[in-house]
Amino acid sequence: MSGSSAAVSIPDRAVNGVYRPRHPAASHYFQCVAAHWEELESSWDYTYQRQYGFFRSYIREVMLRFLDCGDLHNGFARVRCHDCGHEYLLAFSCKRRHFCPSCHQKRVVEFGEWLCTDVLKSVPHRQWVFSIPKRLRPWFSHDRKLLAGLSRCAWKVLGRYLKHSIPNDDAVAGGVVAVQTFGDFQNFNPHLHVIATDGCFYGQGQFQVGNQPVPDDLTPLFRQEVFKLLKSHGLPERVIENMMGWRHSGFNVYCGPSIWPGNNTRIENLARYIIRAAFSQGRMQYIPASRSSDGRAKVVYRSKNGRERKVFSALDWLAQLTTHIPNRSEHMVRYYGYYSNKSRGQRKKADQDDDIANIIETGFSNKAFRRSWARLIQKIYEVDPLLCPRCSGQMKIISFIEEQAVIKQILQHLGLWETRNNGPPAPQLNIVRELTYHPSPDQAKDDDGYWSQVPDYGYWAE
């Protein structure tokens, strides 16, 4: 239950209803994890270790925390309306990224708001995407530390490229590099999404827009840097020589259109997109063994454009999904050049961090948009969690309940206490029905690079 930042780029939207606490245990995703996490852990060594590497103890912690997320049995906050006395209980969240859909979505929104208010300046930006051949992906799967090196490879090339287009010795570009490890069907596909300035900063608060970029100019340089990185970590020379002779290298660099200051919604949606979750609950369908024609639990997952479906065993799908869980304290987003932590710290210390923002005045201060968690939930779900459903008065959190004895007493009094024997309660699933997906008209066709699709946000649609 922590505070969050509110948006500067999206105005307050009308509240369409009152907040209703979620029930995660009723979702197909929860049912899949609850039913198979123990089997996954016990069978990992002889079933998945060769393909995905050793089972990380942190994965078990993440899954258990997810199963407790939103469960009143693990503690809650009491929320009361002082006008009419109406009260409800708000369960604590697990705050696990990349595995809990609800908690990660909150993180996505918070990141977009924070990046736009505290990091990015009011100058033009572009999205860049750097991807590598399928043959090299296992190296990054078995050694996640290489993902940080991949991020540095991309920025080394892009930073030099942007600086080269500005005729000033002290020119420096700014970039935010996010590592994504998943493809359209959760296959391990490490690639990089970059939000970079469309030009460079120089002098005393000056910014110059660069030339129209040509992504193909960066591809051979990026390939060279990646091979240099992997060679230092044991990639055989014969593999490099073989891949250097490929007609199509498998390396790709994509550059999006320039996003100019003032288009705040577009840049914030892009910021959210680069750290989005590895999967979508709306695209998955869990079929328990008791309802499967062959007696095996399955997961049916649809592609983003809705044209393809793949059927996985529940264990295979869950094992593949866990490969995208970062290690504890592993950074998936890094900041370079003008946006690096060091540069931002130096400017703040010299009280110069707001100099560039004055080029295009926004009229908003950072502190004005750092609100409570309630503002965040309202933005995500377009409802106000502190709006009383009875009298529409303003509700407030009056206490946090964490002691097990008190939790049990309150839930028993309200008839909400459930005795557990084998893990969390598992409500019955509804009869599984065929899922139908209607793609939006602005979605682009996808070959193999899923990043070429128009995201759900539609942020690069004019």
Side-chain angles (χ1 to χ4, degrees), residues 56 97 144 147 325-332 334:
R56 294 173 285 157
R97 54 178 176 158
R144 295 188 64 92
L147 295 173
I325 300 176
N327 291 321
R328 190 191 306 273
S329 302
E330 179 181 352
H331 296 289
M332 303 300 287
R334 290 174 172 82

Side-chain angles (χ1 to χ4, degrees), residues 21-233:
R22 61 192 177 90
H23 300 285
S27 70
H28 282 226
Y29 178 56
F30 183 96
Q31 295 291 330
C32 180
V33 177
H36 301 287
W37 74 268
E38 290 180 301
E39 183 183 359
L40 175 67
E41 183 179 11
S42 62
S43 64
W44 185 278
D45 290 348
Y46 58 84
T47 305
Y48 302 109
Q49 179 174 310
R50 185 175 181 180
Q51 182 178 2
Y52 300 130
F54 292 101
F55 185 82
R56 294 173 285 157
S57 59
Y58 185 60
I59 293 178
R60 183 178 191 273
E61 177 185 334
V62 169
M63 290 192 294
L64 290 177
R65 290 287 298 272
F66 163 71
L67 294 176
D68 286 339
C69 184
D71 188 345
L72 294 173
H73 293 72
N74 298 298
F76 48 82
R78 293 177 59 197
V79 185
R80 174 183 293 173
C81 176
H82 287 274
D83 292 334
C84 70
H86 175 67
E87 182 176 330
Y88 71 85
L89 307 181
L90 183 64
F92 295 148
S93 60
C94 67
K95 299 180 176 64
R96 299 299 95 180
R97 54 178 176 158
H98 295 278
F99 194 77
C100 176
S102 175
C103 292
H104 188 79
Q105 178 61 16
K106 295 174 186 176
R107 183 185 182 91
V108 166
V109 175
E110 287 179 327
F111 175 79
E113 296 169 351
W114 174 79
L115 196 69
C116 291
T117 57
D118 286 39
V119 179
L120 303 183
K121 299 301 179 182
S122 296
V123 296
H125 291 85
R126 289 182 186 271
Q127 180 203 18
W128 295 79
V129 182
F130 293 76
S131 56
I132 62 175
K134 187 175 182 179
R135 186 176 182 180
L136 299 179
R137 295 173 188 174
W139 287 80
F140 297 89
S141 174
H142 288 79
D143 186 359
R144 295 188 64 92
K145 293 181 180 179
L146 287 174
L147 295 173
L150 185 65
S151 176
R152 289 191 293 269
C153 289
W155 182 251
K156 185 176 182 179
V157 172
L158 181 56
R160 288 179 178 177
Y161 182 79
L162 295 175
K163 183 176 181 179
H164 184 71
S165 65
I166 306 300
N168 294 90
D169 294 336
D170 62 342
V172 58
V176 179
V177 182
V179 179
Q180 290 188 1
T181 59
F182 49 89
D184 204 10
F185 288 98
Q186 287 73 58
N187 54 299
F188 194 84
N189 177 16
H191 59 284
L192 307 167
H193 285 262
V194 185
I195 300 178
T197 54
D198 189 18
C200 291
F201 301 92
Y202 68 94
Q204 299 297 320
Q206 303 297 318
F207 180 86
Q208 182 172 342
V209 178
N211 298 328
Q212 177 68 28
V214 181
D216 290 343
D217 292 344
L218 282 72
T219 303
L221 300 177
F222 178 56
R223 177 179 62 176
Q224 178 182 351
E225 292 296 328
V226 173
F227 280 150
K228 187 187 302 183
L229 168 69
L230 294 180
K231 183 178 180 180
S232 67
H233 285 75

Side-chain angles (χ1 to χ4, degrees), residues 254-272:
Y254 164 83
C255 178
S258 182
I259 304 175
W260 280 78
N263 199 339
N264 296 329
T265 300
R266 191 174 177 185
I267 194 68
E268 185 175 342
N269 285 341
L270 173 58
R272 298 183 191 180

Side-chain angles (χ1 to χ4, degrees), residues 13-21 373-387:
R13 293 179 284 190
V15 175
N16 298 325
V18 296
Y19 175 67
R20 292 289 185 269
W373 64 271
R375 175 61 182 85
L376 177 65
I377 297 178
Q378 180 179 349
K379 183 176 181 182
I380 297 174
Y381 299 108
E382 300 186 11
V383 298
D384 187 353
L386 297 184
L387 180 68

Side-chain angles (χ1 to χ4, degrees), residues 256-298:
S258 182
I259 304 175
W260 280 78
N263 199 339
N264 296 329
T265 300
R266 191 174 177 185
I267 194 68
E268 185 175 342
N269 285 341
L270 173 58
R272 298 183 191 180
Y273 181 72
I274 68 174
I275 68 162
R276 71 193 189 280
F279 80 106
S280 168
Q281 285 194 93
R283 289 158 55 191
M284 76 160 288
Q285 182 182 26
Y286 172 59
I287 305 176
S290 60
R291 296 179 181 173
S292 174
S293 58
D294 58 2
R296 299 177 58 193
K298 300 176 183 178

